[in-house]
Amino acid sequence: MNDHPHDSDAAEPKWKHDGVRVIPANQLDPNVPSTAGMDRKAAINFARVGAQKLWAGTVTIHPNAKTGAHHHGHLESVIYVIKGRARMRWGEHLEFTAEAGPGDFIYVPPYVPHQEINASPTEVLECVLCRSDGQAVAINLDIEPVEKPEQVLWVDPTHPHGGV
């Protein structure tokens, strides 16, 4: 006997409506707060699919766009680069740097001070972003970035209150 709520003796299992969900590319939600120079769209979150422990969506970062220094508290982040060149800076003074291109994954551990940058002055950067929780955690840091942001602080569906 299974203890899963969907395995009851009911006439129609609920799997049809609350099982696997496909979110078509043309149905991502653009009605999410975005930073100037960074256009975000939500795919997976609590409001759209009932996700309890993650957030996923896309971000298109305009040429030369940069965030300020920040971290995401206890959250883990994964960024998958689809198109363009991403530059990440991290560390107590953002002294470390790495770049990623199409097909590369970027992992940002909890509490790591960092800055996201589109490394290209002419091409957009397209990425998929996943976070380990849907709650908004973004802590702006008083670190003088090596590459000064030309845009406003980070705002997206997981940072709706003007965080980084």
Side-chain angles (χ1 to χ4, degrees):
M1 173 178 229
N2 282 328
D3 292 331
H4 196 281
H6 294 94
D7 295 333
S8 66
D9 293 329
E12 181 180 329
K14 294 181 179 182
W15 291 123
K16 180 177 180 180
H17 300 290
D18 65 359
V20 172
R21 299 283 303 274
V22 174
I23 310 301
N26 65 353
Q27 293 180 17
L28 301 184
D29 185 2
N31 297 312
V32 295
S34 286
T35 303
M38 300 184 184
D39 303 317
R40 292 175 183 78
K41 294 181 180 176
I44 308 297
N45 60 19
F46 180 78
R48 299 202 79 208
V49 300
Q52 301 287 320
K53 298 178 183 176
L54 59 87
W55 183 95
T58 61
V59 60
T60 300
I61 304 171
H62 300 195
N64 273 334
K66 304 166 182 70
T67 66
H70 64 283
H71 70 72
H72 300 290
H74 69 281
L75 302 184
E76 295 176 287
S77 299
V78 173
I79 302 166
Y80 175 75
V81 180
I82 297 171
K83 176 182 176 183
R85 195 95 193 134
R87 181 178 303 126
M88 298 293 288
R89 290 193 167 275
W90 71 94
E92 292 297 321
H93 304 285
L94 303 178
E95 66 270 28
F96 304 107
T97 186
E99 291 194 5
D104 293 339
F105 286 85
I106 300 166
Y107 171 67
V108 183
Y111 301 102
V112 171
H114 64 282
Q115 176 185 31
E116 295 101 353
I117 301 161
N118 181 342
S120 172
T122 59
E123 297 181 17
V124 298
L125 170 61
E126 295 180 6
C127 301
V128 172
L129 169 63
C130 299
R131 293 251 166 74
S132 60
D133 198 329
Q135 75 182 83
V137 176
I139 312 300
N140 292 321
L141 301 172
D142 189 18
I143 295 173
E144 187 67 26
V146 177
E147 298 186 49
K148 300 201 182 346
E150 297 175 12
Q151 308 293 345
V152 297
L153 295 175
W154 186 282
V155 177
D156 70 16
T158 64
H159 315 109
H161 303 294
V164 241

